[in-house]
Amino acid sequence: MAAFLLWLLLLVFCWPLALLALVLYPIVWLLLLPLRLVGITVGAVFAFLGALLMLPARVLRGRPA
């Protein structure tokens, strides 16, 4: 809601810039989408490596009684 109100404020004071932001936002979002997917993938790989490294300790600890 705050972003919309800020955009309306920008529309009142500088409407060409507000319309440019409205047009460019989806394009920038599409350009950044591959970087977001790479970030998710790298996070998953690090989580997998962490779980793999902690596996021997979890196996040796046994079940809680």
Side-chain angles (χ1 to χ4, degrees), residues 3-47:
F4 180 68
L5 292 175
L6 286 173
W7 183 81
L8 283 178
L9 190 66
L10 185 64
L11 182 64
V12 169
F13 288 114
C14 185
W15 64 268
L17 188 62
L19 292 180
L20 183 68
L22 191 65
V23 169
L24 288 181
Y25 179 77
I27 295 168
V28 170
W29 186 83
L30 282 175
L31 288 175
L32 292 179
L33 188 59
L35 296 176
R36 191 171 303 155
L37 292 175
V38 167
I40 292 170
T41 304
V42 168
V45 167
F46 281 142

